[in-house]
Amino acid sequence: MSELRWNPLLGEWVATATDRQERTFLPPADFCPLCPTKPGGFPTEVPEPSYDIVVFENRFPSLRSDPPPPAVEGTELYPVRPGQGVCEVILYSPNHTTTLAAEPVEQIYKLVQVWTDRFLELGALPFVEYVFEFENKGEAIGVTLHHPHGQIYAYPFTPPRVARELEQARAHERKTGRCLLCDVVAEEKRDGRRVVVENESFVAYVPFFARYPYEVHVTSSRHLQALADMDGEEQRDLAEILKAVLVAFDRLFDISFPYMMVLHQRPSDGDNYDFYHFHIEFYPPLRTATKLKYLAGSETGAGMFINDTLAEEKAAELRSKVLPVVWGGEGGAA
Amino acid sequence: MKDEGPTKQASVGEMHKRRTTLVDGRYLIYYTFDDEGGELAAKDEAASKRAPDAEPVAEDERRV
């Protein structure tokens, strides 16, 4: 059962997807459904014995291209609509034990190209308004499969957090005549204390307003709205700065660092979003090597985040862990 | 951050995609790059020459 129920208190949709209760939960490595199907082995989601990058429809989707009718009838107060959309899984590598941070920068560049292709293909579907690409990494985030992978949700509406960003960006542009994120990038570069790493096309920084101790935003220096607007050099620079950030995360506590990584691009509904600006946000749940930043009463009930740290100090910690990125190397940074 | 070793341009070649349908009806797309894609294209071309009038199957490959 999958449907969208309207929350009139917040003015936003909630997806109910009861089938997801049955999804695979932390299987042993020998029975990973995201590994290639080995000759004579049990059949996984990928029938072939190897692959480079694979995308497939999620077996337990929150949204479907041909959704069933809602389980309940809506009312004027409580509208209900079918859970129409697409949920995909992206497998980064056939190697069960790798992570995006451990992959060569070339593999991350390939992923950037696949993200771009999925953004364009899913965004062209008539019922899709927003393509949301993301990764949940680590049990601390709640992943149910350890095999390195990301996800894509193609929503039939623009999700509330992105919609709020769009409102803020539009208001700033009307007030100042400038792009909000262009101003943020300029301010971060001018100040410098919160910058983690930068290259010719991107800057990675702990934002002035960070909600999580090690929150990092990666923003394009050029004013553009989506991966599809980038030229080849910018896509390579994006892969390079992602590699640098991911390696710095892992070196911070010498662990495979958990995080949520989300791509914020323009909606795909055909309207003009020239005022918007592409960026990627990382939300790591750790505040120390062993302590989690919990989303408790204030964060969850009031939407008011309390960060126990200074962005300037956390950025300095991360900056000290950045290594040069090597193209043609064996996986890691130099 | 500084580049070392081979140039970025030479590091990853053209992307190819091959779409298949799983037994339960879901789609799955293999993305390949560089020589992998070339080998894939050559394999499909050979198959096409062997059976020019064959019915289309539930697989599609296109260069992007």
Side-chain angles (χ1 to χ4, degrees):
Chain A
M1 201 56 64
S2 169
E3 64 197 28
L4 297 171
R5 297 185 176 204
W6 184 249
N7 173 352
L9 300 184
L10 295 178
E12 61 189 37
W13 292 103
V14 174
T16 60
T18 55
D19 290 351
R20 287 176 56 77
Q21 285 279 44
E22 308 302 320
R23 68 187 187 275
T24 312
F25 183 77
L26 296 176
D30 290 348
F31 292 93
C32 171
L34 306 186
C35 282
T37 298
K38 296 300 181 189
F42 82 102
T44 73
E45 292 281 33
V46 187
E48 296 199 355
S50 188
Y51 57 80
D52 196 346
I53 292 180
V54 160
V55 170
F56 62 87
E57 284 184 289
N58 196 320
R59 184 188 289 264
F60 302 100
S62 307
L63 306 165
R64 302 168 186 269
S65 56
D66 55 346
V72 297
E73 286 188 22
T75 67
E76 186 177 351
L77 182 64
Y78 294 149
V80 177
R81 60 193 275 199
Q84 191 173 35
V86 181
C87 292
E88 292 184 342
V89 177
I90 304 183
L91 307 183
Y92 299 159
S93 165
N95 180 356
H96 180 81
T97 58
T98 190
T99 64
L100 202 55
E103 285 296 296
V105 64
E106 286 85 352
Q107 193 69 13
I108 301 176
Y109 174 48
K110 291 177 184 178
L111 176 62
V112 170
Q113 293 182 72
V114 173
W115 277 339
T116 305
D117 184 65
R118 302 320 301 152
F119 174 80
L120 291 171
E121 183 172 321
L122 294 173
L125 294 172
F127 54 85
V128 170
E129 187 172 308
Y130 193 85
V131 179
F132 183 61
E133 299 173 306
F134 65 101
E135 178 187 356
N136 296 329
K137 184 198 167 202
E139 287 187 37
I141 295 294
V143 299
T144 54
L145 298 171
H146 284 303
H147 194 106
H149 70 284
Q151 299 184 63
I152 304 175
Y153 282 10
Y155 298 117
F157 52 82
T158 299
R161 185 165 172 80
V162 177
R164 193 166 174 191
E165 269 193 4
L166 288 165
E167 286 172 18
Q168 289 296 109
R170 186 184 280 116
H172 185 84
E173 196 270 343
R174 284 177 177 160
K175 182 179 174 185
T176 67
R178 298 188 305 272
C179 162
L180 176 57
L181 260 292
C182 285
D183 278 359
V184 166
V185 166
E187 180 123 346
E188 293 297 347
K189 285 185 174 181
R190 183 173 61 248
D191 185 287
R193 287 175 295 169
R194 291 174 295 275
V195 171
V196 176
V197 60
E198 61 182 310
N199 60 26
E200 286 186 13
S201 308
F202 291 89
V203 58
Y205 51 95
V206 179
F208 177 79
F209 46 84
R211 298 174 301 159
Y212 297 85
Y214 295 102
E215 181 171 341
V216 168
H217 292 193
V218 176
T219 305
S220 58
S221 298
R222 188 163 71 90
H223 180 68
L224 46 82
Q225 288 74 50
L227 289 164
D229 301 335
M230 294 176 196
D231 62 29
E233 190 65 27
E234 286 169 329
Q235 291 202 339
R236 284 183 281 271
D237 283 345
L238 177 57
E240 195 170 289
I241 202 164
L242 289 176
K243 173 75 178 175
V245 169
L246 292 166
V247 169
F249 277 156
D250 277 6
R251 295 185 74 229
L252 194 60
F253 303 130
D254 288 326
I255 59 171
S256 185
F257 201 66
Y259 57 76
M260 293 170 269
M261 172 178 65
V262 307
L263 280 66
H264 282 184
Q265 307 187 74
R266 65 167 178 266
S268 300
D269 59 1
D271 285 351
N272 185 339
Y273 294 98
D274 284 351
F275 58 87
Y276 194 58
H277 195 126
F278 169 87
H279 61 289
I280 295 177
E281 299 186 1
F282 287 91
Y283 318 130
L286 293 180
R287 57 187 175 89
T288 71
T290 57
K291 292 176 182 161
L292 287 170
K293 159 68 181 170
Y294 287 103
L295 302 190
S298 183
E299 290 83 358
T300 303
M304 168 68 181
F305 272 69
I306 300 167
N307 185 343
D308 301 336
T309 65
L310 288 177
E312 293 75 18
E313 293 178 359
K314 297 293 122 178
E317 285 180 39
L318 285 169
R319 192 163 55 241
S320 73
K321 301 297 183 183
V322 171
L323 294 177
V325 174
V326 178
W327 290 77
E330 283 293 320
Chain B
M1 231 170 14
K2 179 184 169 187
D3 287 343
E4 296 173 6
T7 65
K8 298 179 198 176
Q9 283 81 357
S11 57
V12 176
E14 194 170 18
M15 183 173 79
H16 304 260
K17 58 193 284 195
R18 179 167 54 97
R19 181 184 291 261
T20 69
T21 303
L22 299 171
V23 291
D24 61 5
R26 290 177 296 137
Y27 61 78
L28 180 146
I29 305 168
Y30 293 100
Y31 285 88
T32 53
F33 299 80
D34 274 331
D35 291 342
E36 287 179 70
E39 289 169 8
L40 195 63
K43 190 170 71 176
D44 280 11
E45 187 180 351
S48 170
K49 283 177 182 170
R50 283 196 303 273
D53 300 324
E55 290 291 316
V57 295
E59 291 196 2
D60 172 49
E61 182 195 354
R62 66 187 173 93
R63 189 167 292 182
V64 292

